[in-house]
Amino acid sequence: MTRVSENSTTLSIRHTLNKHKSKMEDLQMKGTTLKSMRKPSDNPAANIEALQISSVTKDNSQFKRNADFALLQLNITEKALENLTDIMGKAKEIAIAQSSDIYNEDVRNNVANEVKQLKNLALSIANKRVGQRYIFSGFKTLDTPFNENGEYKGDNGHITLEVGKDFFVQVNLHGKEVFMAESETDSQVTHPLEKFPEMANSREKSKNREIMSEENNREIASSPIGVDAGKYKESANLFGLLDSLAISLENNDPDQIQNLLEKFDTAVTRLVTLRTRVGSVASSVMTNVNTIDANNIDNMERKSKLVDADVTELFSDITRQQEILKTAYKTSEGLLNKNLLDFLR
């Protein structure tokens, strides 16, 4: 019979106890954190995948913050365009009503004041801000885009934001494309009113026009702004259009008012087109946010499977390990508590 030394027995007992205590400690730590992994070496492959998922989740969080800002900017821009459309629609209603012969000069002079107020309201919209940032000044977001005469002081910058992985959207419209529309013509017109023969043949009306041009120095509906290879650029802006209507009303000129109707139609159509453009971008941003939310749910589910502990299984293991450890202690107690007679046998 092979004799087992006391030292060997003690070492064996110590090894067994340490092994079960270590196992119990590991399970208790997992029970505390409810994680299946305490360190990367527990499951290297799962740990790498979990880190990748965490990185993607952080990226998505920033994309959502960008999307929130983009939606704020786009919604305010769309609301501003809606208000501008209402203003131009109101001005057009006035033009339609005052282009008839049933109103006299006094009425038209009074209505002209209303049109001037519409222009002031349009100017306030043109200088609209989000916080301290002007929404229609291009990249010059801290500079007032329009002065009191309706002259644009911003630039043609378009701000883009990444609201999803490799998905960039334009979040602003600069003031030039909203309040001014440029077009090329084959012939230079020295003055917009020259387009209307009935006014060109009227000395009295031409005289009024010259007075208005010299004294008021107002831009009327559209004006040539440059020449490029035989093409003449015309800039039609909303403020000039409202000015034209106010001047025509002050001049008691129903023919000129009638001729402005087409320009109002063009302006309203352009604003509606811009609103549609802004709305489509906002819709795509919302769709992307929903996609990010769905991806985050999938990622969190996958990460949970990788790093989270199965609670039922974990506490079952803890209970079983407690019983094992208790048994090991009792066994060790029986082997270690020997008296001198036990050694002499």
Side-chain angles (χ1 to χ4, degrees), residues 304-327:
S304 177
K305 289 181 179 177
L306 291 173
V307 302
D308 289 345
D310 185 332
V311 177
T312 305
E313 181 181 355
L314 175 62
F315 284 96
S316 175
D317 289 344
I318 290 176
T319 304
R320 185 174 67 253
Q321 192 62 34
Q322 284 175 336
E323 295 298 325
I324 293 174
L325 188 60
K326 189 183 297 181
T327 304

Side-chain angles (χ1 to χ4, degrees), residues 282-297:
S283 177
S284 66
V285 173
M286 283 297 301
T287 302
N288 187 69
V289 169
N290 293 335
T291 302
I292 289 175
D293 288 337
N295 289 340
N296 281 342
I297 293 173

